[in-house]
Amino acid sequence: FAAFFKTRYNDLFFDLMLYISKSFGFIYIAPFIFIIAIAYAIYKKQYAILIFTCLPVLVHLALSALKIYPFVYRLILYLVPAFIMLMAYGTYIIAAFLAKRLHLVVGGLFILFCCYSFT
């Protein structure tokens, strides 16, 4: 799985699945947003978000490990909503943190950067 993920990372997350722009280093920012969203949901004990976003990923990986379910194209079909929810939640968390700590304009600029990269 690790070898597959390493070789197909760009295809899965940026070309095939989410169609996110690779400009301005967003290829490195998107995983950071996912990690922030998951860590914050665990920290705040928001289990509903984790169930709707992480549970389908784990079930899908378990089924593909048992060779019951194909991996690549079903991953794209069923898991896009979960990844979009995590990206939106992570973007909100980072923008709220930046707006509270630095300034409202900095949080707004981060949201505009993410909107440009997401579209």
Side-chain angles (χ1 to χ4, degrees):
F1 174 73
F4 168 78
F5 196 75
K6 204 168 169 182
T7 57
R8 300 290 305 254
Y9 174 77
N10 289 331
D11 293 337
L12 287 176
F13 286 102
F14 294 101
D15 295 334
L16 293 175
M17 191 183 308
L18 299 176
Y19 298 109
I20 296 174
S21 172
K22 294 180 187 175
S23 61
F24 302 113
F26 200 73
I27 193 168
Y28 301 110
I29 295 173
F32 178 70
I33 291 174
F34 286 129
I35 291 170
I36 290 292
I38 292 171
Y40 192 77
I42 291 171
Y43 173 72
K44 290 293 184 178
K45 297 179 182 173
Q46 297 174 336
Y47 297 118
I49 291 173
L50 293 174
I51 288 172
F52 284 117
T53 57
C54 296
L55 187 63
V57 175
L58 296 175
V59 168
H60 189 83
L61 289 176
L63 291 176
S64 65
L66 296 172
K67 300 192 186 317
I68 297 174
Y69 204 62
F71 187 72
V72 179
Y73 297 109
R74 301 288 170 100
L75 176 78
I76 294 167
L77 179 65
Y78 295 119
L79 299 181
V80 168
F83 288 129
I84 290 174
M85 285 173 54
L86 278 177
M87 287 178 62
Y89 188 60
T91 303
Y92 163 73
I93 292 166
I94 294 170
F97 176 78
L98 290 175
K100 186 169 54 170
R101 297 282 188 238
L102 299 175
H103 197 273
L104 186 63
V105 174
V106 178
L109 288 175
F110 180 75
I111 289 178
L112 287 177
F113 172 72
C114 288
C115 287
Y116 170 75
S117 298
F118 292 167
T119 59

